[in-house]
Amino acid sequence: MYIDTHTKESMEASICNLLNMNSLELHEQLMLLDKSSKDEDDFSNNLDLFIVEKVTMYPDEILLFHLARRLRGAEDEIEGRNLADLLLSENQFSKFMKENGVAFSKGDQHIDVTYKGKIVDWDRCWSGNAGYMKLRLGYYKGREDFCFNGFLLKDLLYKNNYARELSGIPEFLGQLIECLQCKSVGWKYMDNSDYYCYEYKLPMAVVMFDDHDQYSDSLKKRYLLRCVLQRLHQYQVTSLKYMYDHDNPVLRLADDYTIPSKYYVGREKITSEMLRDW
C-alpha cells in the first residue's frame, strides 16, 4: 500500500482512505491542528500525534520521482542506476562518453577517468571543481556519493528550482566538462537528449529521506504521512500561484543500490513549456 503523491487530489484521496474520513473531515482536522499550534514546529508535532492516534495501517511502499536528461535511445533503460553502475557498465551514456574520448574504469577504491588516453589527475586539474569530481568518483572513503535519488511529491515538482536546473546538462557531466575543458561534449549531449521524470514505486525499506537518513522504517512511514499532510495543508492556506516546491522531500537509495526494472512505473517527457507555465 502506498500514498499516491502525483497530485493534490490523489494525495487527498489516499490520505482520506487511510484515515477512513472524507475530504471535508480531513480539511477540518487540519485547520483545527493549525489553530491549536503555536508555530510550524508545534504544528509538525501535532501532526505526528494526529498520525499516531488515527492511523492503524501504514504504507509499506513509496513513490520516487527521478529527474534525468537522457540520451535518445536510452529512455527505455528503466533500471535506476547509481552513478558507479552507470559509469562502469555498458550503456548508452558510457558508450557516448567513450565515443567522445572519456572512459571510466574501476581504480583503487575509486573510479578512474581517462581522457584522450590519459588518466585524469584531479590534483592537477586547474579548471572546474576538482574537489566535487573526487567526491562523486569515490576518492573520499566513507563519503561516497553514488546514490540514485529523486523526490517524494510530484504535484508541484516542475516549480522546483532544482528541476529547472536539471533540465540542462546533468550536474556530474557539467562539472566533468568544466574540468576537462571539453565543452563540445556538453553541446553534443544536449543536442541528442531529452528531459524526463522517471517514476518508481519502491519498498519503504530501501528508501531513505535525505534529511533523515537514520530513520527506522516505522519513522519513515510516519514522516511520509506528515509531509503529505503538510503539503495538503499548504493548499488550504496558500493560493496556488504562491506555492513552490522548495520543501519537497528528497529521497535517496544506498550508494550501491540500482533500482530493478520491476519497480519502474512510468516516465513523462518534460518540455520547456512545462517548466515555464507556472
Side-chain angles (χ1 to χ4, degrees):
M1 189 261 287
Y2 69 101
I3 302 298
D4 188 339
T5 51
H6 283 88
T7 66
K8 168 184 176 283
E9 292 74 20
S10 66
M11 285 188 282
E12 189 172 281
S14 292
I15 291 292
C16 286
N17 182 60
L18 189 73
L19 297 174
N20 194 28
M21 61 176 61
N22 61 45
S23 58
L24 179 60
E25 290 172 322
L26 176 61
H27 292 174
E28 289 175 346
Q29 288 285 343
L30 290 175
M31 292 309 293
L32 284 172
L33 289 171
D34 185 9
K35 288 180 181 178
S36 64
S37 302
K38 295 176 291 186
D39 51 35
E40 287 187 16
D41 287 340
D42 195 33
F43 181 60
S44 295
N45 291 334
N46 286 334
L47 281 176
D48 288 340
L49 293 173
F50 173 76
I51 290 164
V52 170
E53 179 185 346
K54 299 291 185 182
V55 177
T56 57
M57 181 179 293
Y58 287 87
D60 56 2
E61 296 175 302
I62 188 169
L63 294 180
L64 180 151
F65 300 96
H66 173 74
L67 300 168
R69 176 167 282 281
R70 292 284 181 88
L71 289 163
R72 296 186 190 107
E75 60 269 19
D76 290 327
E77 295 180 2
I78 56 177
E79 289 184 325
R81 296 181 184 274
N82 64 69
L83 182 62
D85 189 1
L86 179 70
L87 300 182
L88 298 175
S89 65
E90 285 291 324
N91 56 72
Q92 283 284 106
F93 179 78
S94 59
K95 180 182 176 183
F96 169 85
M97 296 304 293
K98 193 173 292 185
E99 289 171 350
N100 286 276
V102 183
F104 305 95
S105 58
K106 189 74 178 75
D108 181 21
Q109 302 294 321
H110 61 264
I111 296 172
D112 279 327
V113 178
T114 302
Y115 181 51
K116 294 183 177 180
K118 294 182 179 180
I119 293 180
V120 177
D121 180 353
W122 298 106
D123 292 326
R124 297 182 64 80
C125 176
W126 316 122
S127 300
N129 189 341
Y132 168 88
M133 293 305 303
K134 290 180 71 173
L135 176 67
R136 296 305 310 276
L137 292 168
Y139 278 76
Y140 306 120
K141 192 172 181 179
R143 294 176 56 201
E144 294 84 358
D145 185 13
F146 299 136
C147 71
F148 186 93
N149 58 25
F151 290 92
L152 171 66
L153 308 174
K154 175 84 181 322
D155 59 315
L156 300 175
L157 185 54
Y158 302 149
K159 294 183 77 171
N160 192 296
N161 287 335
Y162 192 55
R164 296 179 181 186
E165 290 173 12
L166 287 177
S167 65
I169 296 174
E171 185 179 18
F172 174 83
L173 180 57
Q175 288 294 338
L176 179 67
I177 288 166
E178 287 294 322
C179 289
L180 302 184
Q181 292 290 284
C182 54
K183 292 186 178 180
S184 62
V185 177
W187 298 331
K188 191 179 296 186
Y189 190 90
M190 288 294 291
D191 288 342
N192 291 280
S193 62
D194 295 301
Y195 191 32
Y196 288 94
C197 176
Y198 282 77
E199 177 185 343
Y200 297 88
K201 184 166 68 174
L202 295 157
M204 187 74 72
V206 306
V207 174
M208 291 173 276
F209 284 89
D210 197 47
D211 53 348
H212 296 290
D213 57 1
Q214 299 302 314
Y215 271 7
S216 65
D217 283 355
S218 59
L219 283 175
K220 285 188 284 187
K221 292 171 183 180
R222 293 204 294 270
Y223 186 61
L224 162 63
L225 296 179
R226 187 219 288 179
C227 292
V228 173
L229 288 169
Q230 286 174 321
R231 178 57 64 91
L232 290 175
H233 181 250
Q234 286 180 26
Y235 279 106
Q236 286 183 285
V237 299
T238 309
S239 171
L240 179 60
K241 67 180 179 180
Y242 297 120
M243 289 182 67
Y244 296 94
D245 201 50
H246 63 275
D247 59 346
N248 194 344
V250 174
L251 306 174
R252 63 180 174 87
L253 309 174
D255 281 302
D256 60 353
Y257 188 84
T258 284
I259 300 178
S261 58
K262 66 181 179 179
Y263 295 132
Y264 171 77
V265 175
R267 65 178 179 266
E268 177 179 47
K269 187 174 179 180
I270 306 170
T271 66
S272 56
E273 289 75 22
M274 293 165 72
L275 297 171
R276 283 201 305 261
D277 285 349
W278 287 95

